[in-house]
Amino acid sequence: MISTGRASALSARSGLRHWQQNGATRRFSSSRGTWMTQQQQTAAAADISRVTIIGGGQMGSGIAQVAATKKYNVILVDVNQEALDRGKAYMAKSLARVARKKFGEEAQRQQREFVDDVLGRVTLSTKPSEAVASTDLVVEAIVENIAVKQKVFGELAKAAPEHAILASNTSSLPITQIAEAVDSARRRSFIGLHFFNPVPQMKLVEVVRTDASDEQTVARAVAFVKSIGKEPAVCKDTPGFIVNRLLLPYMMESIRLLERGVASARDIDTAMKLGAGYPMGPFELCDYVGLDTIKFIVDGWYKEGAGLQGDKTFASSKTLDDLVSSGRLGVKTGKGFYDYPKK
């Protein structure tokens, strides 16, 4: 493990540096090149009050939940009412857990009021153009298919106000390429906001800027992320952004160690948990993420990832291919590298 030694009064973190002066915390925004007070950060987020989430699946409903919990007015959009009802049920179940922890098992009335209050700020819609007509921020969280995302953004850009930020929650597709669906002027307000699953629990959001993203868009996005209790990490648009760019090579090398017979999956997991201090081993993490998701990402990078085409790190793995083709996708199917008995 790398030791950082004594903490510095000026530390770099998530594109922002902290500075203490007269008891007030200032932050340096690498996206703006200026020092921002807490009041300035709050002001940057204050011009966002209406948020539209496109996609009512686990990610989209999770983003809607955290935004509504922080008093934002949210519209959750999906193709049909059934999908929206599933998203609302997911939010209700998640909020119930939060309420029990917040108020205690016996405080039933407070729990109900909390859940009802948050859900009351979420409106459901099957009409995306109407849903974004007066929004300040659009976050897309739909299928990882670039053609589908481009089609959606092409339509949304025509309906959303000029000041609205357009953001994709993609974990692996190029933000720059998705933004090609909108005109050059609109690309200045186009950005990536990559939340992590499960959204209510995971603190990180990668704020992904393209060469066209302007400084105001980045600053507003960073301020919004902080306002919902998350920690932003600002990066350029590159395959995998920060986390997946580091995580996928680790996962693939773990699989190749297994294929070479160096150690079993269980022993590799044990070694990384006890030797490196990781909360999960690589095979446990692969199963949690989804083996089909991992295969989709690495296959895409190997074929056409910027600077990654033909990189042996992301070459196909027979073990991974066989597991996916046999339907062993990980936790979500009950079988992956490990078996997961139904509870």
Side-chain angles (χ1 to χ4, degrees), residues 97-138:
R97 288 194 296 267
V98 174
R100 285 195 298 272
K101 184 176 181 180
K102 183 180 180 68
F103 300 105
E105 292 288 348
E106 303 303 318
Q108 297 292 322
R109 181 177 60 80
Q110 291 95 325
Q111 290 181 37
R112 286 194 301 272
E113 289 176 349
F114 172 80
V115 173
D116 291 344
D117 180 55
V118 175
L119 291 179
R121 283 188 287 276
V122 180
T123 302
L124 307 180
S125 174
T126 57
K127 299 178 180 179
S129 293
E130 289 184 11
V132 303
S134 60
T135 196
D136 303 309
L137 169 65
V138 177

Side-chain angles (χ1 to χ4, degrees), residues 65-72 121 227-229:
Q65 175 187 324
V66 297
T69 300
K70 294 299 183 177
K71 310 299 184 182
Y72 285 95
R121 283 188 287 276
S227 75
I228 59 173

Side-chain angles (χ1 to χ4, degrees), residues 148-205:
V148 175
K149 290 180 186 290
Q150 287 178 327
K151 183 176 186 297
V152 167
F153 275 113
E155 296 171 356
L156 296 178
K158 297 173 185 176
E162 290 185 6
H163 73 273
I165 296 173
L166 303 180
S168 175
N169 180 59
T170 182
S171 62
S172 62
L173 299 175
I175 301 297
T176 302
Q177 194 172 345
I178 299 172
E180 290 175 0
V182 306
D183 62 39
S184 57
R186 200 72 205 232
R187 292 174 197 171
R188 292 197 293 267
S189 59
F190 206 108
I191 203 165
L193 284 180
H194 179 214
F195 290 77
F196 289 78
N197 188 34
V199 177
Q201 282 77 48
M202 298 295 281
K203 292 286 289 183
L204 179 67
V205 178

Side-chain angles (χ1 to χ4, degrees), residues 1-57:
M1 300 295 288
I2 300 173
S3 173
T4 57
R6 206 157 52 105
S8 170
L10 184 64
S11 61
R13 185 177 66 176
S14 303
L16 299 172
R17 294 200 297 272
H18 300 252
W19 177 42
Q20 291 289 133
Q21 183 183 53
N22 298 329
T25 300
R26 292 175 177 264
R27 289 173 178 262
F28 182 82
S29 169
S30 59
S31 68
R32 297 180 63 178
T34 56
W35 288 99
M36 297 175 66
T37 64
Q38 183 65 49
Q39 289 78 8
Q40 288 170 325
Q41 294 172 59
T42 302
D47 69 346
I48 297 176
S49 62
R50 295 160 296 191
V51 180
T52 304
I53 311 298
I54 308 297

Side-chain angles (χ1 to χ4, degrees), residues 5 25 30 53 57 63 77 79-80 85 89 110 125 179 192-193 212 234 243 265 286 291 329:
T25 300
S30 59
I53 311 298
I63 298 167
V77 181
V79 294
N80 56 55
D85 290 342
Q110 291 95 325
S125 174
L193 284 180
V234 181
V243 174
C286 283
L291 304 187
L329 308 182

